[in-house]
Amino acid sequence: MAEYDEKEQKLTIKLVYYGPALSGKTTNLMSLHDLIDPQLSGELMTMETKNDRTLFFDLLPIGIRAPSGLLIKFKLFTVPGQVAHDGTRKAVLSRTDGVVFVADSQTNQKINNGESFQNLADNAMRVGLNFESLPVVVQFNKRDLSNIVTEEEIKERWGKTNWPLHFSTATKGEGIKETFESLLHLVYLDMERRFKLKSEHGLDEKEFIKSVMSSTEMQF
Amino acid sequence: MRIIPQNQFDRDLDIHELLKGIDQKKIYPALKKLLGESVRLIDTKGNIIFGQEDVTKELKRLPLTVQIEPVAYIESEDEENIGGVASLLEQLLKSSERYHMASDLHIESVHADYEKLQKKHEALIASEIKYKELAGNLEQRVQEQVKTIDTAQRQLYQAEKLASVGQLAAGVAHEINNPVSFIRSNLSTADDYVKDILQFAEQFNAGLDIDALKSSWQEKDLDFILKDFSTLLKESIDGADRVKTIVADLKDFSKVDSADVAIADLNEVIRSVCNVARSQVSQNAELEQSLNDLPNIKCQSGHLGQVFLNMIQNSAQAMKQGRGKIKVSSAFIDDEIIIKISDNGCGMSATNIERIFDPFYTTQDVGAGTGLGLTVSMDIITSHDGRIEVESQKGKGTTFIITLPIRE
């Protein structure tokens, strides 16, 4: 659903952090905001929260410039994870170009993870996204806790799927950049196919990812 | 304030949208106090949002950014304070952006739910219209259905009647054929006897002597002939009477066709049915009657006769191991007429008993029975406010008990 404004030379890409309640979606964005240094970095906007739970969404805007002058703007959203907010979750998921599914590694969260992933697939269909071709990356968070499902078991279960799998501890910033890079890789392939980033804007995948993750260039 | 439901909450908001809900009449004077009369706010296309058109002095310009790109520019000659004011304005715009995004997201998710509800509502209205139409036509359609059922039922009765009359006709034909053929044979013999007697009469008239006549008498055995002749005639008269009786019974039975309600003695109906049925069932069973006095009742005697015939035919078909006995009895007990038709045939299993009154249920070979006899019987008895009960034991026999109330 990426929005390309030819006159303004602006491409807007929407990415969504999805997952069950309290799995660490907001922490992912906060951590990412601290860890990466994109060409253009906005402030993390966190919406009204009640007991630290996301009610609407969080938004982290970042941007890069292609050699052609094209501004590529990323809008990173989180959804509210609580089951009750499905209407909001659906609206936030609308028009997304990629998803990081943040699962909770704790053994007692297996069912919640499964239900939330099913909810992602269902809602994607409801808002008119093709879930089969949508860039999706799966992240198992909270690896620093003791009562967690082993990596072997998770790999056994998720390794056979098409979705890249990552392990993270968002509170310590571990695995956050890797997860995001992995999604950027999938998103680049999609954008390159649709908007000819390389041939028309001189931006290859390596430069695309590098500009997002760490830039030495100056901001506006 | 304008609310456009189809606004996507995640779109980029321009300065004009961000300033919605903020009172510009208060902002502009406040900015003038902070940064002087020269202060200007300019959108990304270069249009002045507020401030003076013609500026002669050199102005410092700073971008206002809410996400990553500028949404507007602020200009002022006050280079010292412009940075702080820009930062203040950015915070104001960011707060406005949060409010707009949250409110648009809310509208978007509510709108999606509303659309879903509206679709449901439309479907409900459509089905309501359908049901209203249906309710309007209901009376008429029920009447049509009743008419159809009525016709079908009449056809059913007719079919069943034809079937039992057909079976009856075969039995009756046999019964009539028997006396008719021995009457025919007797008449033929009588014809020979008359010839012999005529010959003797000619000899007598020719004036033969007494000895010759005597020897001719002896030769023709006229003593036997005359005696036998008388027997033949008597037998033939009996035979003719039998045919007459059968025909009379048939005539009675032909009242089966009449659906008229009339006062009738059910014993008469039973007798008439037994007389007609006897010949038909005689190969299978002996038909016994044990009839006690009954009050006359108002009924469709023709239809009841058909019921009794069905029961008797049914019993006769149960005689699978040699000739048996069918007993028809009547009694008047506690203001009810009770008619029992019992046989010592093969009996029925419990599962068969459950289904014998179902239409088209038959244990007979295909074509041997319509499977309607007992169904029709049940309908007839029910229409007389009566009931039919069945007692049966496999291998021992079956008893049908028909109970009819006395109707005013």
Side-chain angles (χ1 to χ4, degrees):
Chain A
M1 298 273 166
E3 212 178 295
Y4 179 53
D5 187 337
E6 201 178 350
K7 212 175 109 216
E8 297 281 322
Q9 275 298 295
K10 187 162 102 177
L11 174 65
T12 307
I13 297 171
K14 180 175 179 180
L15 304 173
V16 170
Y17 279 68
Y18 209 95
L22 295 171
S23 67
K25 299 174 289 296
T26 303
T27 316
N28 253 272
L29 275 201
M30 285 161 63
S31 193
L32 195 65
H33 184 233
D34 293 343
L35 290 168
I36 64 172
D37 175 27
Q39 285 175 337
L40 304 165
S41 178
E43 275 175 31
L44 177 66
M45 176 202 284
T46 55
M47 296 298 287
E48 308 299 318
T49 60
K50 193 175 155 194
N51 308 327
D52 280 342
R53 311 285 293 267
T54 304
L55 265 183
F56 292 95
F57 58 85
D58 306 310
L59 168 60
L60 175 61
I62 55 178
I64 60 172
R65 282 233 185 253
S68 67
L70 176 75
L71 169 65
I72 303 177
K73 184 172 177 184
F74 297 87
K75 292 181 178 177
L76 277 57
F77 283 93
T78 63
V79 297
Q82 286 170 282
V83 176
H85 300 314
D86 199 46
T88 310
R89 200 158 40 238
K90 215 158 59 185
V92 173
L93 185 66
S94 302
R95 306 176 286 277
T96 195
D97 298 297
V99 172
V100 172
F101 180 78
V102 183
D104 190 326
S105 293
Q106 295 178 89
T107 47
N108 60 5
Q109 293 298 311
K110 276 186 190 174
I111 292 172
N112 287 344
N113 290 334
E115 281 176 352
S116 179
F117 196 81
Q118 184 59 48
N119 177 258
L120 166 62
D122 292 346
N123 279 344
M125 194 197 72
R126 286 185 195 121
V127 300
L129 295 168
N130 182 357
F131 191 62
E132 299 294 315
S133 61
L134 182 70
V136 174
V137 175
V138 175
Q139 179 197 72
F140 270 80
N141 193 23
K142 307 192 188 178
R143 298 310 296 170
D144 58 330
L145 298 184
S146 52
N147 56 334
I148 54 170
V149 182
T150 62
E151 282 196 17
E152 288 68 37
E153 197 180 319
I154 291 167
K155 279 177 181 161
E156 170 77 24
R157 166 90 173 73
W158 291 84
K160 291 167 194 152
T161 65
N162 295 325
W163 302 294
L165 184 60
H166 293 273
F167 295 93
S168 67
T169 304
T171 49
K172 294 180 183 167
E174 290 166 13
I176 300 306
K177 279 169 79 175
E178 290 77 1
T179 307
F180 187 51
E181 263 191 53
S182 173
L183 182 66
L184 285 178
H185 163 70
L186 295 178
V187 168
Y188 179 83
L189 296 179
D190 190 25
M191 294 301 145
E192 159 60 19
R193 200 178 57 244
R194 287 159 62 190
F195 302 108
K196 300 195 171 61
L197 292 185
K198 191 162 180 222
S199 58
E200 290 193 5
H201 299 284
L203 187 65
D204 64 13
E205 187 187 335
K206 208 179 143 199
E207 196 58 34
F208 176 81
I209 293 176
K210 196 182 148 238
S211 306
V212 173
M213 302 310 284
S214 61
S215 162
T216 49
E217 286 174 48
M218 292 300 290
Q219 284 181 230
F220 269 96
Chain B
M1 201 169 79
R2 205 161 47 109
I3 294 174
I4 305 166
Q6 59 267 33
N7 269 353
Q8 298 174 350
F9 85 96
D10 50 6
R11 73 193 188 283
D12 283 332
L13 299 166
D14 65 24
I15 185 68
H16 301 280
E17 286 175 294
L18 290 170
L19 285 175
K20 256 176 233 156
I22 298 172
D23 193 346
Q24 290 180 38
K25 280 178 197 139
K26 283 185 181 162
I27 293 281
Y28 185 38
L31 286 176
K32 278 198 279 193
K33 269 190 183 163
L34 287 169
L35 295 176
E37 289 292 321
S38 66
V39 69
R40 300 205 304 180
L41 191 66
I42 295 166
D43 71 12
T44 48
K45 292 188 178 87
N47 302 312
I48 298 169
I49 298 163
F50 50 72
Q52 293 165 345
E53 288 273 349
D54 303 314
V55 184
T56 46
K57 290 171 190 160
E58 183 101 349
L59 298 179
K60 185 177 164 72
R61 168 187 275 223
L62 282 179
L64 298 176
T65 304
V66 291
Q67 289 192 356
I68 54 170
E69 68 272 54
V71 292
Y73 298 93
I74 184 160
E75 289 180 342
S76 167
E77 56 187 327
D78 185 348
E79 293 191 13
E80 197 181 325
N81 291 317
I82 189 168
V85 172
S87 168
L88 191 69
L89 268 181
E90 273 185 355
Q91 289 309 311
L92 192 67
L93 294 176
K94 276 181 185 173
S95 165
S96 169
E97 182 191 38
R98 281 154 64 102
Y99 167 75
H100 277 98
M101 283 186 86
S103 114
D104 283 349
L105 173 64
H106 177 69
I107 290 167
E108 197 175 329
S109 66
V110 165
H111 190 70
D113 288 346
Y114 180 69
E115 242 174 348
K116 214 162 89 187
L117 272 179
Q118 211 146 29
K119 271 184 195 151
K120 256 189 201 165
H121 182 64
E122 275 164 26
L124 275 176
I125 284 182
S127 78
E128 195 189 333
I129 290 172
K130 212 172 97 192
Y131 281 113
K132 263 189 187 157
E133 264 177 27
L134 204 65
N137 295 336
L138 202 61
E139 184 89 355
Q140 194 199 334
R141 290 180 68 166
V142 165
Q143 272 170 4
E144 277 168 20
Q145 287 293 310
V146 166
K147 217 165 149 188
T148 310
I149 292 169
D150 233 27
T151 312
Q153 199 153 26
R154 229 171 291 141
Q155 284 166 348
L156 202 71
Y157 275 71
Q158 211 57 39
E160 170 52 24
K161 204 179 299 161
L162 278 175
S164 59
V165 165
Q167 284 172 22
L168 199 63
V172 170
H174 176 74
E175 194 68 0
I176 292 177
N177 196 41
N178 217 13
V180 165
S181 49
F182 76 71
I183 290 170
R184 171 67 178 77
S185 152
N186 283 357
L187 289 176
S188 179
T189 311
D191 193 35
D192 287 344
Y193 288 171
V194 169
K195 274 179 195 151
D196 285 340
I197 293 166
L198 273 177
Q199 262 181 13
F200 183 78
E202 275 168 19
Q203 287 170 346
F204 181 82
N205 286 335
L208 256 65
D209 61 41
I210 193 75
D211 288 335
L213 284 173
K214 261 187 185 166
S215 109
S216 173
W217 185 278
Q218 295 285 329
E219 196 191 316
K220 292 186 199 311
D221 200 3
L222 285 180
D223 280 330
F224 169 78
I225 283 178
L226 288 174
K227 199 174 145 206
D228 196 38
F229 205 155
S230 163
T231 314
L232 282 185
L233 288 177
K234 202 163 165 287
E235 265 180 29
S236 297
I237 288 165
D238 284 349
D241 282 347
R242 257 173 74 188
V243 172
K244 196 181 159 194
T245 315
I246 290 167
V247 170
D249 284 337
L250 261 184
K251 250 170 114 182
D252 274 352
F253 188 75
S254 69
K255 284 181 201 151
V256 164
D257 261 342
S258 134
D260 295 343
V261 176
I263 304 287
D265 177 3
L266 287 188
N267 281 341
E268 282 303 317
V269 177
I270 292 169
R271 266 183 215 113
S272 150
V273 167
C274 284
N275 285 342
V276 177
R278 184 169 287 116
S279 57
Q280 190 196 346
V281 304
S282 61
Q283 278 187 322
N284 296 329
E286 191 181 324
L287 194 53
E288 261 182 35
Q289 295 169 40
S290 161
L291 306 177
N292 296 300
D293 283 347
L294 299 177
N296 288 348
I297 60 163
K298 211 171 166 188
C299 64
Q300 292 170 296
S301 61
H303 281 174
L304 289 177
Q306 195 188 345
V307 173
F308 303 146
L309 180 67
N310 278 337
M311 300 281 161
I312 292 168
Q313 284 174 339
N314 209 65
S315 290
Q317 280 156 356
M319 303 303 172
K320 286 179 180 156
Q321 290 159 335
R323 205 159 177 271
K325 205 179 262 185
I326 300 172
K327 190 174 163 187
V328 183
S329 65
S330 65
F332 182 59
I333 302 164
D334 293 337
D335 282 341
E336 284 182 325
I337 291 174
I338 293 164
I339 293 156
K340 288 188 188 179
I341 294 116
S342 44
D343 65 66
N344 57 356
C346 60
M348 288 178 288
S349 67
T351 40
N352 275 353
I353 291 175
E354 270 174 34
R355 300 197 52 196
I356 51 171
F357 294 108
D358 293 351
F360 306 109
Y361 178 77
T362 178
T363 56
Q364 318 251 0
D365 294 337
V366 177
T370 58
L372 289 172
L374 290 176
T375 313
V376 168
S377 299
M378 183 56 110
D379 287 350
I380 292 170
I381 297 301
T382 307
S383 77
H384 283 81
D385 299 327
R387 56 186 192 272
I388 304 181
E389 283 149 292
V390 191
E391 288 169 3
S392 187
Q393 244 186 314
K394 201 117 177 94
K396 293 250 169 94
T398 303
T399 302
F400 284 98
I401 303 157
I402 298 167
T403 309
L404 292 167
I406 300 292
R407 292 205 289 194
E408 290 307 313

